[in-house]
């Protein structure tokens, strides 16, 4: 994991980039770190059953692992292109609300990221909630919690926040929280799901025609092998071929109570190995860095507004020209369950 200890070593991060863990940043240095940072990163995962062969923290391993990959290029390029630490004001004053200050070295060494502690607990589907070790929170609680976490990071001086997801069910709750915060704060919030960074065609090249992308299957197992091979027990299970997808090419979302076959996971685990895991990490990590580079280079958004209506309201149609209705409504009240 390419993080740089903070505290007395913040200067090394300022000079060479990479990731600095915010949990190690002294409060008195936070403003300077925020001023120098190109973005903050928040991993989101889950504590969830993935079968006897994978750890309960599978989604956390993947979210934290790929979050670290988001700025590895900075560490790799540091010797060739050191950054100018003197460009950061000693008093921590930011020049552009958390972006790279004017006068900083060109971004050839990669962006500077600030790593926030991962969100460990998440809403989990009914398909995995009954299985041992799954710790699920209610979706409405997850959305509120994530909204507070995201807004707190933005308020701390990090208007650009990358959220790296390792748990598919987080896509809806994180998206809802991001939308809420974006109406309250000036922010650029980027959500990337590691699972989508390698295409189905590429996993077919890796594993062959058998299905590999299911929950706890060969693809996800390989992802964990790419970061923590010792956490995987490949010999603990036999293959459990997943239920076939619908024979259509159109996108859809299908949620079922318990697909069959299913043991809280399914897939051809025998197809997974460490070389495939290293390839998955390489491909997905490179794509993540491409997305981050394009995002950091893009113009920041305008602040939200509480008054979205134009100064001159558009001309109203014939219906609104009718005189307002006064007195009680005529006719019987609407029946229960009908719109009033």
């Amino acid at each position: 994991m390419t993080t740089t200890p903070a505290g007395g070593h913040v200067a090394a991060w300022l000079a060479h980039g990479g990731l600095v863990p915010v949990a190690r940043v002294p409060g008195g240095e936070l403003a300077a770190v925020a001023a120098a940072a190109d973005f903050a990163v928040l991993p989101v995962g889950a504590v969830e059953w993935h079968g006897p062969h994978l750890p309960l923290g599978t989604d956390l391993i993947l979210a934290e692992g790929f979050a670290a990959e988001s700025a590895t290029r900075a560490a790799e390029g540091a010797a060739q292109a050191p950054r100018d630490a003197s460009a950061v004001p000693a008093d921590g004053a930011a020049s552009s609300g958390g972006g790279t200050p004017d006068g900083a070295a060109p971004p050839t060494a990669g962006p500077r990221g600030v790593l926030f502690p991962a969100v460990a607990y998440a809403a989990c589907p009914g398909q995995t909630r009954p299985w041992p070790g799954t710790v699920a929170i209610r979706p409405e609680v997850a959305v509120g919690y994530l909204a507070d976490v995201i807004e707190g990071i933005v308020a701390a001086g990090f208007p650009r926040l990358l959220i790296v997801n390792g748990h598919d069910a987080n896509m809806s709750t994180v998206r809802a929280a991001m939308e809420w915060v974006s109406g309250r704060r000036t922010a650029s919030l980027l959500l990337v799901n590691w699972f989508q960074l390698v295409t189905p065609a590429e996993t077919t090249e890796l594993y062959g025609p058998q299905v590999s992308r299911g929950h706890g299957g060969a693809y996800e197992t390989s992802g964990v092998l790419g970061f923590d091979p010792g956490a995987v027990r490949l010999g603990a299970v036999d293959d459990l071929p997943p239920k076939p997808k619908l024979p259509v090419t159109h996108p859809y979302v299908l949620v079922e109570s318990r697909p069959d076959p299913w043991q809280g996971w399914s897939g051809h685990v025998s197809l997974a190995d460490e070389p495939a895991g290293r390839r998955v990490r390489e491909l997905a990590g490179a794509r993540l860095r491409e997305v981050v580079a394009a995002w950091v280079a893009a113009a920041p958004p305008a602040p939200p507004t509480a008054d979205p209506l134009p100064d001159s309201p558009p001309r109203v149609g014939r219906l609104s020209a009718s005189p307002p209705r006064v007195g009680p409504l005529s006719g019987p009240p609407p029946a229960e369950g009908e719109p009033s």
Side-chain angles (χ1 to χ4, degrees):
M1 194 166 175
T2 58
T3 57
T4 304
H9 298 91
V10 168
W13 172 77
L14 294 174
H16 303 301
L19 286 181
V20 61
V22 76
R24 301 287 303 280
V25 174
E29 298 180 32
L30 177 62
V33 168
D38 294 300
F39 66 99
V41 56
L42 175 69
V44 291
V47 178
E48 183 186 33
W49 169 265
H50 283 75
H53 58 300
L54 285 173
L56 296 171
T58 287
D59 296 335
L60 280 169
I61 290 171
L62 292 164
E64 291 179 320
F66 282 110
E69 293 281 314
S70 66
T72 54
R73 185 169 48 188
E76 293 164 359
Q80 290 76 26
R83 310 203 43 174
D84 182 8
S86 65
V88 182
D91 61 1
S95 64
S96 56
T100 302
D102 296 337
T108 53
R112 298 185 185 108
V114 177
L115 178 66
F116 277 76
V119 174
Y121 300 104
C124 294
Q127 298 171 2
T128 60
R129 282 202 304 270
W131 294 86
T134 297
V135 180
I137 60 177
R138 286 165 288 157
E140 64 272 22
V141 173
V143 173
Y145 178 75
L146 287 162
D148 287 347
V149 171
I150 293 169
E151 185 168 28
I153 294 172
V154 172
F158 302 95
R160 288 191 189 267
L161 174 60
L162 166 68
I163 302 173
V164 180
N165 181 39
H167 174 63
D168 188 65
N170 286 333
M171 293 300 287
S172 55
T173 53
V174 172
R175 171 72 183 269
M178 290 165 58
E179 297 285 5
W180 185 80
V181 173
S182 70
R184 294 167 52 86
R185 300 273 181 173
T186 302
S188 180
L189 308 172
L190 177 66
L191 173 59
V192 178
N193 188 5
W194 83 269
F195 202 88
Q196 296 171 316
L197 292 171
V198 180
T199 68
E202 289 168 331
T203 51
T204 298
E205 289 180 14
L206 276 172
Y207 305 108
Q210 291 179 307
V211 177
S212 60
R213 295 175 72 94
H215 178 74
Y219 177 43
E220 190 167 28
T221 299
S222 295
V224 179
L225 286 168
F227 289 102
D228 191 354
V232 181
R233 304 290 183 266
L234 286 176
V237 292
D238 296 323
D239 287 350
L240 186 64
K243 180 179 180 179
K245 294 185 178 295
L246 301 180
V248 298
T249 58
H250 317 300
Y252 64 89
V253 175
L254 176 64
V255 176
E256 295 184 312
S257 55
R258 181 168 174 168
D260 186 30
W262 181 254
Q263 294 180 10
W265 72 279
S266 65
H268 298 93
V269 176
S270 64
L271 301 175
D273 56 24
E274 288 190 45
R278 289 191 292 270
R279 181 59 175 158
V280 166
R281 176 176 176 175
E282 176 188 3
L283 284 172
R287 272 78 182 270
L288 176 60
R289 289 188 291 274
E290 288 177 16
V291 173
V292 168
W295 169 59
V296 169
T305 175
D307 183 15
L309 298 178
D311 294 335
S312 300
R315 296 182 63 183
V316 295
R318 226 173 8 155
L319 291 176
S320 59
S322 302
R325 178 183 285 171
V326 294
L329 295 174
S330 59
E336 185 176 354
E338 294 181 356
S340 58

